[in-house]
Amino acid sequence: MELEVRHLRALCAIADTGSVRRAARQLGVTQPSLTTQLRRIEHALGGQLFVRERSGSEPTALGRSVLSRARPLVAEMAALVAETRAAALRSGGGGTLRVGGTGSTGSRAVAGWLRRLRARHPDLGTTIRIDVSANRLLREVAQNRLDVVFVHEVTGCPLRLPHGVAVRVLLEREPQFVALPESHPAAARAEVPLGELTGERWMVDPAADGEWDGLLRALGAAGESPRLVCGDYLTAGDLVAAGEVLMPCQPTTVPRAGVVTRPLVGDPLTVRLLLAFRAGERTAEVDAVFEDLRGAYREVAHANATYRDWLALRGAPLAV
């Protein structure tokens, strides 16, 4: 078997994640297939590259030697692809920018983001992927399936940044509001203490990285025994309007009929907004994409009256 870049990428994934199982999930393949691939790589190289310890899969001395050579090659290949695509765009050869975003964070600002990108590069095609899992989108960037993604990281629940992926911070702390039925007693308040929502049922999508743990932590700190309902954010709006659940939401969320959004006193739930891209991308191009995202986010933030009022009460102009 001749080694290919994908084989080296697999070795890096096993080393970075610490196990074949987690690496398989990151690479989007089955664990048995990755195990078979690892055995074939080891056979081709003539020695064992990893040993299984209690802490996970650890590189052998040979494995560390191979990884020291593999990582630069994988990074160089990613840079080659990125620079070639960028050169094609600059020469008017067209191309496609593959954009991703997490849930409501991405979907609120992504329309304006893409509008700005198209104005900057009229010949540029775009594809969009919205996924509730930020970690999954980051892996897509690492695997060169997406170019840039707009994701959020729940405070206290750091994302797993794959090797070769870099980030820029759009907003260090974005407050999370609560979505509740307009008939709820707290709907009449400008801000709602989390402690006043004791006994409520909260809906969280368990596939949204960090949001379950973040809400549990905030509710516990408020002295509430959590009553969490597993669900997905596509159906949550109907359940909130019906008075069945409450739900954390982005401050840029546009409420639907029967639902209002309110800030939480003291901002017990916050997230960090990030633009992720492959390390080694040209700085000027990343700057341009970032500025387009900044403008799009500012637009949706100021269009939301509740968020606008929250900013005005704190004398805090949107710091993006």
Side-chain angles (χ1 to χ4, degrees):
M1 182 185 76
E2 290 188 2
L3 287 183
E4 301 174 9
V5 174
R6 63 188 178 92
H7 299 137
L8 302 181
R9 190 178 294 116
L11 296 179
C12 293
I14 296 170
D16 291 341
T17 61
S19 80
V20 174
R21 177 178 59 83
R22 288 192 292 270
R25 188 183 306 128
Q26 175 177 306
L27 295 169
V29 299
T30 66
Q31 182 176 342
S33 68
L34 184 57
T35 299
T36 299
Q37 186 178 79
L38 175 59
R39 288 172 182 163
R40 294 181 64 198
I41 295 171
E42 289 178 327
H43 179 74
L45 293 176
Q48 188 175 7
L49 301 179
F50 293 92
V51 292
R52 179 169 292 182
E53 304 284 356
R54 282 190 173 184
S55 58
S57 296
E58 296 290 334
T60 62
L62 177 62
R64 289 192 294 273
S65 176
V66 171
L67 286 165
S68 70
R69 302 292 297 274
R71 291 191 189 282
L73 291 172
V74 171
E76 283 296 321
M77 180 56 72
L80 172 63
V81 172
E83 290 178 12
T84 301
R85 293 183 66 253
L89 292 176
R90 289 193 300 272
S91 65
T96 301
L97 180 65
R98 300 163 299 176
V99 173
T102 46
S104 57
T105 301
S107 60
R108 298 300 169 208
V110 76
W113 188 21
L114 295 179
R115 184 175 68 249
R116 288 166 169 79
L117 290 171
R118 284 197 301 270
R120 189 185 300 275
H121 297 291
D123 297 327
L124 181 67
T126 55
T127 61
I128 312 167
R129 170 152 177 212
I130 301 298
D131 193 312
V132 72
S133 171
N135 281 315
R136 192 154 49 226
L137 289 172
L138 292 174
R139 292 195 296 269
E140 294 284 287
V141 174
Q143 295 160 19
N144 197 27
R145 296 175 182 170
L146 291 174
D147 297 308
V148 289
V149 294
F150 178 33
V151 298
H152 68 272
E153 177 183 69
V154 178
T155 301
C157 304
L159 297 173
R160 298 185 297 275
L161 195 65
H163 178 76
V165 175
V167 297
R168 289 188 61 176
V169 179
L170 178 73
L171 198 62
E172 191 63 45
R173 285 175 62 86
E174 181 195 62
Q176 300 302 278
F177 290 0
V178 57
L180 62 166
E182 61 183 8
S183 59
H184 194 285
R189 304 190 60 157
E191 294 189 2
V192 182
L194 190 58
E196 287 192 5
L197 303 177
T198 302
E200 300 282 359
R201 290 184 298 275
W202 292 79
M203 174 169 280
V204 178
D205 189 334
D209 300 309
E211 295 193 5
W212 180 277
D213 291 336
L215 182 58
L216 278 176
R217 183 182 297 111
L219 292 173
E224 182 175 347
S225 179
R227 300 174 63 193
L228 299 187
V229 178
C230 289
D232 65 83
Y233 292 145
L234 292 176
T235 58
D238 291 331
L239 294 176
V240 173
E244 291 296 318
V245 297
L246 307 184
M247 181 180 67
C249 65
Q250 314 298 138
T252 53
T253 298
V254 178
R256 52 170 298 162
V259 176
V260 298
T261 63
R262 293 291 180 264
L264 292 165
V265 173
D267 305 324
L269 288 169
T270 61
V271 302
R272 190 165 66 137
L273 303 183
L274 306 169
L275 176 73
F277 50 92
R278 280 182 299 283
E281 295 277 9
R282 289 177 177 271
T283 302
E285 291 163 359
V286 172
D287 286 346
V289 171
F290 186 78
E291 287 305 315
D292 287 334
L293 177 59
R294 187 199 300 268
Y297 182 81
R298 187 189 298 274
E299 182 177 64
V300 297
H302 284 296
N304 186 291
T306 305
Y307 194 15
R308 198 168 59 241
D309 291 344
W310 181 91
L311 292 166
L313 283 172
R314 284 155 180 76
L318 191 60
V320 298

